[in-house]
Amino acid sequence: MRMKAQVFFVPLPNSVYLWILITIAVIVQELLLLPLNNFAIYYTTVCHHLKLLVASLGKSLNNVRDSENDRIYKEYISIRNLVTYIDEQLSFLVFISSVYNACTMYFALTLILHPEEYFDVTHILSVVSLFSSNYLSYMGLTLSGSLLHEASEELWFKLHRALMPRSEITSLQQRFLNLLEKGLFLTIWKILPIKRSFILATLGTILTYCILLDNLKSLRNVPSCCIF
């Protein structure tokens, strides 16, 4: 039997009072779910600051002199080390957030495929509020992580354009280009890098497996004589 979400179950004769009570319940539930989304807010903020660091480094490349290449290179190394340290500390929590997002998507899918399993509108609104709050926070988490990778790619393009008119480049500039080509990104538990393509692939994969699990659960309830 599937899990049924419930906020309250109070029959009221007046529909106006009922909808007021439903609205209050949804607001309270969103406030209760806020601690679950605190990590997504924190992670989004961290990624935004890292992106600003990379973007500010890219702006300094516009009028940089050859004597300042060593300083720019060391600043990028410091940013890269900081990103590596943050990823080591938070990548597992990002993985947990991905699993939690998959669970809420499954609940939302059962609401669409099996609305008869939910008693009334209060149960439906509780699932919708759970899914919407988690989905928005997870999208903010992954988008902010992908923007860091895009900022590092933009930094590589700026340096490449700055060095193209030159007939020769120094060994330091070559090392800088090679390091930028490797990319700068955060990961999901050191398994997958967070890029824009990762967001679409993850949502599609989770949706596919949710439908598959729902079909398997439905087939389990069908008698064996009816399958053939």
Side-chain angles (χ1 to χ4, degrees), residues 19-141:
W19 280 105
I20 292 175
L21 192 57
I22 290 174
T23 304
I24 295 174
V26 170
I27 294 174
V28 170
Q29 186 179 18
E30 292 294 337
L31 293 177
L32 292 175
L33 291 174
L34 185 60
L36 298 177
N37 298 326
N38 279 345
F39 172 72
I41 298 173
Y42 169 75
Y43 192 83
T44 302
T45 305
V46 170
C47 291
H48 177 68
H49 284 287
L50 292 175
K51 174 183 173 294
L52 291 179
L53 288 176
V54 177
S56 63
L57 189 62
K59 292 179 181 179
S60 63
L61 289 176
N62 296 330
N63 299 316
V64 66
R65 293 175 294 182
D66 291 341
S67 58
E68 298 178 343
N69 287 331
D70 185 65
R71 177 184 62 83
I72 299 296
Y73 180 75
K74 290 181 179 179
E75 287 182 4
Y76 179 75
I77 292 295
S78 300
I79 295 174
R80 192 177 184 87
N81 292 335
L82 178 61
V83 171
T84 302
Y85 174 77
I86 291 175
D87 189 59
E88 290 176 353
Q89 301 298 320
L90 301 180
S91 61
F92 178 72
L93 297 178
V94 177
F95 173 75
I96 296 298
S97 298
S98 302
V99 175
Y100 179 68
N101 177 66
C103 295
T104 56
M105 182 175 289
Y106 177 73
F107 294 150
L109 185 64
T110 58
L111 175 63
I112 298 174
L113 298 179
H114 308 282
E116 69 279 357
E117 295 188 357
Y118 296 86
F119 299 135
D120 56 12
V121 68
T122 58
H123 304 148
I124 296 175
L125 287 177
S126 64
V127 175
V128 171
S129 61
L130 174 65
F131 172 73
S132 59
S133 61
N134 179 74
Y135 181 78
L136 291 176
S137 62
Y138 185 75
M139 287 299 296
L141 182 149

Side-chain angles (χ1 to χ4, degrees), residues 5 17 39 65 71 80 107 129 152 163 174 193 201 207 211 222:
Y17 293 149
F39 172 72
R65 293 175 294 182
R71 177 184 62 83
R80 192 177 184 87
F107 294 150
S129 61
S152 66
L163 298 178
Q174 184 62 48
L207 181 61
I211 296 175
V222 177

Side-chain angles (χ1 to χ4, degrees), residues 118-199:
Y118 296 86
F119 299 135
D120 56 12
V121 68
T122 58
H123 304 148
I124 296 175
L125 287 177
S126 64
V127 175
V128 171
S129 61
L130 174 65
F131 172 73
S132 59
S133 61
N134 179 74
Y135 181 78
L136 291 176
S137 62
Y138 185 75
M139 287 299 296
L141 182 149
T142 51
L143 280 175
S144 60
S146 66
L147 290 178
L148 174 63
H149 172 69
E150 293 174 6
S152 66
E153 285 187 336
E154 182 65 23
L155 181 62
W156 181 86
F157 282 120
K158 286 184 177 180
L159 182 61
H160 191 266
R161 286 195 300 265
L163 298 178
M164 278 185 63
R166 303 185 182 185
S167 57
E168 295 182 358
I169 60 176
T170 63
S171 59
L172 179 63
Q173 292 169 342
Q174 184 62 48
R175 289 201 306 269
F176 197 7
L177 280 173
N178 294 336
L179 189 60
L180 287 173
E181 286 179 357
K182 295 180 180 179
L184 182 65
F185 42 77
L186 298 165
T187 63
I188 306 292
W189 201 14
K190 300 293 184 180
I191 300 175
L192 294 173
I194 301 178
K195 300 179 182 180
R196 195 175 292 268
S197 58
F198 163 81
I199 302 174

